[in-house]
Amino acid sequence: MVQDPAPASEHAGYKLLLELGHSLTGAHRPEELYRIVYKGLSQVLEAGGFFISLYDEARDLATVVFQMESGEEREDPIVYRGSDSHVIRTGKALRIDDNLESHALMTVGDPDSPTTRSALSVPLRHGGRIRGVVSVQSHAPAAYSAADLELLQGVADLVAVAVDAAWQLRTGELRRRELERVQEIGCLLADTLHAGDVMEQVLDAALELLQGDGAALWLVEESRVRVAASAGPIAVPVGTVLPLEGEVVRRVMEEKASVVLDDAKDSPLLPESARALIQARSALLVPLTAGDEVLGGLSVGTRSTRHFREDETRLLQRLANHGALALRNARLHAELQALSLTDPLTQLPNRRHLQLHIGREMAAAERGRNLSGVLFDLDNFKGFNDSQGHVAGDEVLRAVGRVLAEETRAMNLVARYGGDEFFAVLSDTSLAGADYHATRVQERFARDPFLSARGITISFGAAAYHNDMKSAEDLIHAADDALYGSKGMPRGGERGTAGSGERHSGDAVTEGEQ
């Protein structure tokens, strides 16, 4: 039978409790409490190993929040199942004199460290519930007595009260700060009508409030989800696409529920394709909902293992709700703006869009870049419309819009100017290049089966920007004069260097100019 070693003196134990009671009342941060407890205990007990864990009863998970090994503080959090711990499961203190591996007790230290032989482990109890565990460990067998166990429990009871008070204070401060931040974000988002700005603000707030290492905003697109925005050192790259499959997607999309992944890399809830892409060890995902519509999801991840609490889940969900509404408003604004700048019949930019675009291009032309414009006019369209009807006329206009859009480079713009007139803005293009482009459009009309079958042809007038031009209308009027000249209908005086529907015989034009 192993005899109890000499216990820590009653005087030293009593003194320790008094000192801890006094010191703990002045500590306001949990980390500060833990260090005070370790320092005091290590003076009266062998504490080659020491840890404090906090228990989440709802999820049956205990997290080591402070640990020491051979006098060195370790920062890597450890998560274990609470019901596997004898102390948490029974609520009773445990003393082990040797053969530690046969007991359900968390130990600390590297695998290469000396073997831990004996330990004391006691529950943190407060409010009738088990809140965690305090444990000291020794590399020697039978290092602790029954009196030592009683002393450690007394210390744990003090710690439980102090930790609860510190967490209440800290939680109150955090909630106040989080509430202020969420309200601030809500106000900012309410005034933001650009989807990119909305997503950036939501991600920045998520990283800040949840202390994450990466955040992503996922949007649903038909039969897939796509990363529309991301932030943080372990962020999933923007544009990453995943299929709509897996338990996580089902919970978020169908049940509109949040998902906590304590071990995201190995979680069976994620499809294998998703696990291969993410760098986060732990993650929290909440739905991005606007009314009854699920737009996608908002996720936050951490490099190290972490258990996201219920209050953190609620916080991220509140942020996601603000973001979803702002994102929907931004989309509606973009759609309305597009409608206000788009001709509904041809789907080309309208006259307002044209004038805004020319204004921007003229600013570049003032700095020396070439700029030309071409005004197109359908030949005898009024006669066709009168004889065939407005429905047939609309079909022709749609076909004209299609051809012009296909013949215009992405860097340029072609718009419906009004009625059967269309205007092309050709950036970095000379008058000769504009003439070449317009002639090619005429040739395309002649080859198009729909337009050629209906006898639809097109005339044009081209004009190049010069320094006397002060507005978009000046360039348009110059092209208009050239157009009327090509049809034998002179208008007013010459308004600028201009070309017409007749090909310039002396121009040497390359494909790059048009």
Side-chain angles (χ1 to χ4, degrees), residues 61-75:
L61 288 176
T63 303
V64 176
V65 294
F66 182 80
Q67 53 180 311
M68 299 288 293
E69 172 66 18
S70 300
E72 294 185 3
E73 185 173 340
R74 302 174 60 86
E75 296 182 355

Side-chain angles (χ1 to χ4, degrees), residues 44 103 119-120 165 190 219 226 251 264 345 363 375 395 434 438 447 474:
V44 296
H103 296 80
L120 298 178
L219 296 181
R226 179 180 63 87
R251 291 186 187 181
L345 179 62
L375 183 63
E395 290 179 353
R447 297 194 310 270
D474 288 341

